[in-house]
Amino acid sequence: MSTPVVASPPVPLKKRSGPATHNYSKERKVGEGTYAVVYLGHQVTTGREIAIKEIKTGIFKDGLDMSALREVKYLQELRHPNVIELVDVFSTPHNLNLVLELLPCDLEVLIKDKEVVFTMGDIKSWMLMTLRGIHHCHRNFILHRDLKPNNLLIAPDGQLKIADFGLARALGNPNEDLSSNVVTRWYRAPELLFGAKHYTGAIDMWSIGIIFAELMLRVPYLPGKDDVDQLDVTFKALGTPTEQIWPNVSSLPMYNALTVYAQPSRQELRNRFSAATEKALDLMIMLTQLDPSRRCDSTRALLHDFFTELPRPTEPRDLPKKSIKKEEPDAKRRKI
Amino acid sequence: MDSKENTPNLSENGKPVITITQISRPFFTHSEISYMHSQTIDESKKLQYNQTKYQIFQLLYQVIKQLKFPLRVLATAMNYYQRFYLFHKFDGAFDDMDKDPYVVAITCLLLASKNEDCIKKLKDLQSVVNKLRDIDENKPVTNTLDSSGDSIAYHELQRKYVLATEFKLLQLIKFDFSNGANSLSIKTSVDCLLVQFCKQLDINYRMSILSWLICFDIMSTPLCLVIPPHCIAVAIIIISLNLKPQEIKLDHHEIGEEDDDERLSEILDSIDCERDFKCPEVLVNEGILYILDYYIHQYSHSVLNNYLPAIDKQLGKEQIFKFMELKEKFIDLKNMNETSCKESLNRTDEYLSKWEFTTASKGIARFMLGNKRRRFNKELDIQG
Ligand SMILES: Nc1ncnc2c1ncn2[C@@H]1O[C@H](COP(=O)(O)OP(=O)(O)OP(=O)(O)O)[C@@H](O)[C@H]1O
Ligand SMILES: [Mg+2]
């Protein structure tokens, strides 16, 4: 399970009630992803609660997992109240450990928790924090490429933090091809669905628009069953792109055999998003422009009137929290 | 001391756990490098180290061409390779995979391709390398990792060694993937930066190609361990504009560039490293002197040698004299002050000693980005 050891004999790893690793205690397992196991722990010196993400090295055929590498690479560069903090990086004999701030909840949990009621002020507050976080990433030429409610974690004080940089990428080399197989399907921008090899921060803005819709609807907005269905679901809701509204769209690799749906009328959107004010609808429409060059960027979104009209965004500490129900198995909590 | 800090911590059974804090230091002075080499490369192996390095870099170049990787993957791999032997003993024993520099080379390529987001399966990297080396990777060999003495396919054993070496390499680069750039928003590879800077200065095609050829030569030197990439790029441009050769053997020519001489001189005079490129001048000077020395000593082996005529028309002498002349001109440049890195001090700086890979098994190693990067803070404002 660990990296093959050359020369030195394998060092037995203590299992269960792990040893105090460095300044940190590793207490109990709180979750497991594809390439890491996450433990709850404490920073010994300060008593601060932290999460330790232990990267499963060796079991992956090609050594250090790309997601882990990206997470270290990008989180080391980013420091922002709305981006998860990488507190420390350390290695034990066969493992790499990332110490992250402990974020016990996420937006998906709240959206699914039907006991919790969202006000427009709550939604505004979460949107604002998400946009501030992504603005910081984009300002540093970093694309997140996997924004979705379960990657927006919530701190005990209510602050929302963008997490999971396993798919992130720097935008340094303009002419290079990028993979279009990024972002979880329901939050994938149309240019990615069409297989574009060049794209920008606009893909993250699209995801935020879809999350905005989901916050208002309390169910996923564009839940495609597979990649083909995703195109259909997306265009049924937002209209099929044509050369008029999106110049050169037809030259993208996967643009073919599309059912043509009309653009939704304002009234149709009003009906679907009954809680939304006109300004909320404006912002959502700007974020979900099919043509990426017309989609609004993080600066324009942050300056949008929606954020200055009443009600005011809820103070983070007053935002809704998970309702306390019967004990749920923690490990399963955030699994889709 | 900022390098290794021993903080005893109490574990739950009351025994102290040793923690070693490793701070990423992307750059070293020349004297630090020679001190480190004196510990990892025996005097008798120096020549072999250089020859092997040359062969391996040639091979890596072939590999990235075949795999259609951008040049920056090669640059990063060569950086890693040279960094590896600052901390790790060079034995040059090719038949012992534990010491085989080719295993190190494949590892550097693997990690560089991951860091540069050009992902290929390790198996494919191995197969290209092994084919170029004429090695039958399916041949059975003794499994030196296993006391049973069973045999195992060459590529399988090689892969095990590569993966173990990757973990070592990660520790040596202190899990710092920034390639010495202060921010990921700026390009980190000299060839990409050169293209950008030449455009910014409106330098003609001929001079851009010249600087690119110099870049190609310098890429494989340890200069990348000494100063950051944008300073190397500016140093190369300044040298190109000083050389201003009348003839370069190129397949392709832009018309009307012959008369550009005066304009190029104006560009050269107008360059302000700090203002235009956020490069501290001493670091650029360091680069200039290094590059000139490189050509003075190795011109006949350089790529540039293939593109410039043997005799420079203006000077009426061999090209190498042109570099010597330039060195004369630049001799008074202020370069890096190494007084803080005297041999006696280096010896007491534990950071510079061979990295003890068993350290992490004695306790825990923690990795931090160093604040020595502050030296280069000016580059923060550069826009990609
Ligand atoms: N900072 C954190 N604080 C608290 N719990 C966390 C933290 N980070 C992760 N977790 C928990 O650990 C689990 C695994 O996280 P991880 O990021 O490795 O994988 P994932 O994103 O859930 O899945 P995948 O690897 O498929 O993307 C999460 O589902 C979550 O419950
Ligand atoms: Mg995730």
Side-chain angles (χ1 to χ4, degrees):
Chain A
M1 86 140 243
S2 46
T3 313
V5 194
V6 186
S8 58
V11 181
L13 273 172
K14 276 193 217 159
K15 293 274 156 53
R16 296 196 49 79
S17 77
T21 38
H22 172 62
N23 288 322
Y24 305 100
S25 64
K26 230 181 222 181
E27 284 144 33
R28 63 189 170 88
K29 184 167 154 181
V30 291
E32 183 158 357
T34 29
Y35 75 96
V37 181
V38 180
Y39 298 88
L40 176 119
H42 283 85
Q43 190 162 31
V44 174
T45 45
T46 61
R48 178 185 179 189
E49 278 195 310
I50 43 91
I52 299 182
K53 195 163 181 171
E54 189 183 281
I55 310 296
K56 310 168 182 168
T57 38
I59 65 157
F60 281 92
K61 281 198 286 169
D62 276 359
L64 181 64
D65 188 76
M66 269 308 289
S67 306
L69 188 150
R70 291 194 181 113
E71 199 136 53
V72 175
K73 176 171 173 174
Y74 296 111
L75 286 181
Q76 271 177 339
E77 294 289 328
L78 295 168
R79 274 283 178 286
H80 189 275
N82 300 117
V83 174
I84 188 172
E85 183 194 351
L86 177 63
V87 181
D88 217 337
V89 179
F90 66 89
S91 68
T92 47
H94 310 295
N95 274 319
L96 175 61
N97 294 264
L98 312 186
V99 182
L100 297 161
E101 62 181 313
L102 184 71
L103 301 167
C105 188
D106 66 63
L107 211 49
E108 188 187 36
V109 169
L110 292 178
I111 290 172
K112 285 188 172 159
D113 187 340
K114 293 296 180 295
E115 315 263 296
V116 181
V117 179
F118 297 172
T119 66
M120 202 32 109
D122 301 338
I123 295 176
K124 196 173 288 186
S125 183
W126 284 319
M127 281 296 290
L128 209 46
M129 291 188 280
T130 308
L131 286 166
R132 285 184 185 134
I134 207 65
H135 182 67
H136 186 69
C137 300
H138 289 180
R139 197 165 52 173
N140 287 286
F141 302 93
I142 293 168
L143 304 188
H144 184 281
R145 305 201 299 184
D146 196 16
L147 291 177
K148 54 178 172 180
N150 88 353
N151 283 338
L152 301 177
L153 307 192
I154 313 275
D157 66 358
Q159 284 288 340
L160 177 151
K161 318 255 176 178
I162 298 179
D164 200 341
F165 280 69
L167 265 178
R169 161 112 207 215
L171 264 187
N173 307 286
N175 298 324
E176 210 163 302
D177 283 1
L178 301 170
S179 163
S180 59
N181 188 21
V182 292
V183 189
T184 306
R185 192 191 308 124
W186 300 347
Y187 306 90
R188 208 178 283 158
E191 61 270 33
L192 297 174
L193 297 173
F194 285 142
K197 293 261 180 294
H198 300 275
Y199 49 81
T200 63
I203 64 158
D204 289 334
M205 300 311 293
W206 173 278
S207 307
I208 294 176
I210 304 306
I211 294 167
F212 187 23
E214 186 168 335
L215 284 167
M216 295 192 277
L217 297 173
R218 297 295 291 268
V219 286
Y221 183 34
L222 306 173
K225 286 191 281 291
D226 52 52
D227 289 0
V228 178
D229 189 46
Q230 190 62 41
L231 281 165
D232 200 60
V233 169
T234 303
F235 300 145
K236 207 178 266 172
L238 295 161
T240 306
T242 58
E243 282 290 319
Q244 269 98 48
I245 62 163
W246 181 352
N248 296 324
V249 63
S250 56
S251 56
L252 289 171
M254 262 107 81
Y255 183 92
N256 47 35
L258 296 174
T259 318
V260 179
Y261 298 103
Q263 305 287 294
S265 70
R266 182 112 188 159
Q267 194 53 47
E268 284 171 290
L269 290 173
R270 276 187 199 117
N271 296 345
R272 179 104 204 245
F273 297 94
S274 49
T277 60
E278 289 302 309
K279 295 217 189 312
L281 273 188
D282 283 343
L283 176 61
M284 203 192 69
I285 291 168
M286 285 168 73
L287 289 167
T288 52
Q289 285 296 304
L290 296 166
D291 178 354
S293 67
R294 293 195 206 184
R295 209 170 296 147
C296 100
D297 63 14
S298 55
T299 311
R300 271 174 62 214
L302 282 166
L303 293 172
H304 197 275
D305 288 345
F306 169 64
F307 295 111
T308 47
E309 74 169 355
L310 292 173
R312 297 169 63 84
T314 312
E315 285 297 325
R317 64 171 178 278
D318 300 328
L319 282 166
K321 299 208 163 61
K322 198 170 28 157
S323 64
I324 303 151
K325 288 187 287 188
K326 51 192 175 330
E327 273 296 296
E328 259 182 273
D330 253 350
K332 287 271 174 250
R333 186 169 50 75
R334 281 224 319 255
K335 282 284 148 221
I336 327 154
Chain B
M1 191 171 52
D2 71 352
S3 54
K4 282 185 191 172
E5 173 204 336
N6 291 358
T7 337
N9 288 294
L10 288 187
S11 68
E12 85 274 30
N13 59 11
K15 267 205 236 132
V17 173
I18 300 200
T19 304
I20 293 187
T21 303
Q22 282 286 307
I23 297 187
S24 155
R25 240 157 92 171
F27 305 112
F28 301 95
T29 68
H30 295 297
S31 77
E32 284 170 335
I33 290 176
S34 51
Y35 173 74
M36 292 158 95
H37 274 165
S38 75
Q39 291 190 305
T40 55
I41 308 167
D42 289 346
E43 205 50 53
S44 63
K45 295 253 164 80
K46 282 241 153 74
L47 184 65
Q48 195 198 353
Y49 171 78
N50 284 318
Q51 284 170 343
T52 308
K53 185 180 107 173
Y54 180 78
Q55 282 160 7
I56 281 181
F57 287 2
Q58 292 289 320
L59 175 80
L60 288 179
Y61 176 58
Q62 297 304 323
V63 176
I64 68 135
K65 270 210 311 206
Q66 275 198 24
L67 293 170
K68 301 203 168 55
F69 280 167
L71 211 51
R72 60 173 207 280
V73 177
L74 177 65
T76 305
M78 295 192 301
N79 181 326
Y80 288 165
Y81 182 89
Q82 298 183 93
R83 201 169 287 274
F84 188 86
Y85 286 114
L86 290 179
F87 296 96
H88 196 277
K89 189 138 189 79
F90 174 81
D91 279 296
F94 299 92
D95 41 6
D96 178 353
M97 270 201 210
D98 194 22
K99 295 169 181 155
D100 184 358
Y102 284 92
V103 166
V104 177
I106 296 172
T107 310
C108 293
L109 188 63
L110 174 69
L111 193 58
S113 63
K114 286 181 190 175
N115 192 15
E116 300 295 341
D117 248 294
C118 300
I119 311 139
K120 269 264 148 51
K121 287 218 165 63
L122 171 55
K123 190 160 63 71
D124 299 334
L125 296 181
Q126 284 177 278
S127 126
V128 175
V129 170
N130 291 333
K131 196 161 283 161
L132 280 165
R133 292 182 67 205
D134 250 331
I135 288 174
D136 169 15
E137 45 171 30
N138 295 315
K139 73 179 173 204
V141 291
T142 316
N143 186 352
T144 40
L145 286 170
D146 186 342
S147 51
S148 69
D150 288 346
S151 72
I152 178 173
Y154 180 88
H155 69 93
E156 271 175 47
L157 185 63
Q158 187 181 49
R159 130 180 231 101
K160 285 180 201 274
Y161 276 102
V162 167
L163 292 181
T165 309
E166 187 192 46
F167 201 59
K168 286 185 185 177
L169 182 59
L170 284 165
Q171 298 187 44
L172 293 185
I173 66 165
K174 322 296 179 205
F175 291 93
D176 175 0
F177 301 106
S178 67
N179 288 351
N182 213 348
S183 149
L184 296 169
S185 62
I186 63 166
K187 301 190 179 80
T188 55
S189 107
V190 180
D191 66 300
C192 298
L193 285 164
L194 266 183
V195 173
Q196 185 190 325
F197 291 177
C198 284
K199 230 189 245 168
Q200 188 177 329
L201 290 170
D202 194 22
I203 288 175
N204 68 24
Y205 174 79
R206 203 158 43 100
M207 281 308 116
S208 307
I209 291 291
L210 175 67
S211 52
W212 202 84
L213 293 171
I214 297 178
C215 167
F216 205 74
D217 276 330
I218 297 306
M219 227 163 89
S220 56
T221 70
L223 188 59
C224 61
L225 305 177
V226 182
I227 61 174
H230 63 310
C231 299
I232 301 182
V234 173
I236 290 177
I237 289 178
I238 291 177
I239 290 184
S240 304
L241 291 176
N242 271 290
L243 285 175
K244 249 191 318 184
Q246 293 302 308
E247 284 173 70
I248 306 179
K249 296 177 207 158
L250 295 177
D251 298 337
H252 172 78
H253 278 276
E254 301 272 307
I255 334 168
E257 292 196 331
E258 291 70 27
D259 314 324
D260 266 358
D261 253 26
E262 208 149 304
R263 214 176 57 83
L264 291 174
S265 305
E266 276 164 27
I267 294 175
L268 178 61
D269 291 338
S270 76
I271 293 180
D272 180 330
C273 311
E274 307 234 0
R275 184 197 60 208
D276 303 340
F277 304 105
K278 319 281 190 232
C279 294
E281 199 163 326
V282 271
L283 298 183
V284 176
N285 294 344
E286 186 69 33
I288 293 176
L289 294 176
Y290 184 90
I291 297 168
L292 291 174
D293 270 332
Y294 170 86
Y295 283 117
I296 290 171
H297 295 108
Q298 333 235 359
Y299 184 74
S300 57
H301 300 290
S302 70
V303 173
L304 197 57
N305 184 30
N306 301 324
Y307 288 87
L308 295 182
I311 307 286
D312 182 74
K313 271 207 201 116
Q314 272 172 316
L315 200 64
K317 286 190 201 166
E318 284 170 44
Q319 294 289 352
I320 192 168
F321 287 99
K322 223 165 150 181
F323 291 102
M324 288 159 105
E325 208 177 56
L326 274 183
K327 174 126 193 232
E328 200 80 354
K329 179 172 156 192
F330 284 119
I331 200 81
D332 292 329
L333 282 186
K334 216 172 123 229
N335 61 343
M336 259 161 32
N337 177 345
E338 296 206 14
T339 45
S340 68
C341 320
K342 288 221 183 66
E343 159 95 42
S344 55
L345 269 173
N346 288 342
R347 242 180 289 134
T348 60
D349 188 345
E350 285 180 44
Y351 194 97
L352 303 180
S353 51
K354 253 189 329 184
W355 172 246
E356 191 59 67
F357 290 101
T358 52
T359 300
S361 58
K362 288 186 201 128
I364 291 104
R366 64 188 283 244
F367 300 93
M368 299 168 71
L369 297 187
N371 61 11
K372 211 170 181 180
R373 301 203 300 175
R374 291 224 183 93
R375 256 174 44 192
F376 312 115
N377 249 359
K378 293 229 169 66
E379 71 192 82
L380 253 182
D381 302 333
I382 276 207
Q383 303 274 309

